[in-house]
Amino acid sequence: MNSKFNPYFASDNYVYFTDGTEEIIIHEFDSHIGANMVSILLNEAYNHAYQDGLNASISTNYKELVNKILFLSIENRKLKDQLKKE
């Protein structure tokens, strides 16, 4: 899924924010072009921040998995050593 969520949109001279259920006016501009440009910039910033959050989450999950693998490897080694002693 590569589509981006665009919570900001321009209509007439206004920039709105929507959560999917309601729209809130963020700012009124002198022209539709200004409103449209700002909505594009806000959506880009929103999607970059969202992607940064996903990357941080993936990084955290990766570190947790590496730690679990190391722990299980150590435990596996201990169990092998105990089996050799018996």
Side-chain angles (χ1 to χ4, degrees):
M1 186 167 143
N2 219 5
S3 65
K4 294 181 177 182
F5 179 58
N6 295 318
Y8 299 94
F9 66 94
S11 180
D12 298 326
N13 294 353
Y14 297 96
V15 172
Y16 294 86
F17 172 82
T18 182
D19 61 1
T21 56
E22 69 175 318
E23 293 82 29
I24 300 169
I25 295 175
I26 300 297
H27 193 73
E28 180 181 5
F29 290 86
D30 294 334
S31 69
H32 177 68
I33 294 172
N36 194 41
M37 291 294 286
V38 169
S39 70
I40 290 169
L41 292 172
L42 287 171
N43 282 321
E44 286 297 316
Y46 176 89
N47 284 298
H48 285 291
Y50 180 79
Q51 190 62 47
D52 287 347
L54 283 179
N55 291 340
S57 177
I58 289 169
S59 176
T60 300
N61 291 342
Y62 172 78
K63 289 175 185 175
E64 289 174 2
L65 286 173
V66 167
N67 288 336
K68 286 179 184 178
I69 290 170
L70 288 174
F71 173 77
L72 291 173
S73 296
I74 292 168
E75 290 299 311
N76 188 33
R77 174 55 94 186
K78 288 179 185 177
L79 290 171
K80 284 182 179 179
D81 289 343
Q82 282 181 351
L83 284 173
K84 286 182 183 177
K85 289 179 184 177
E86 293 179 4

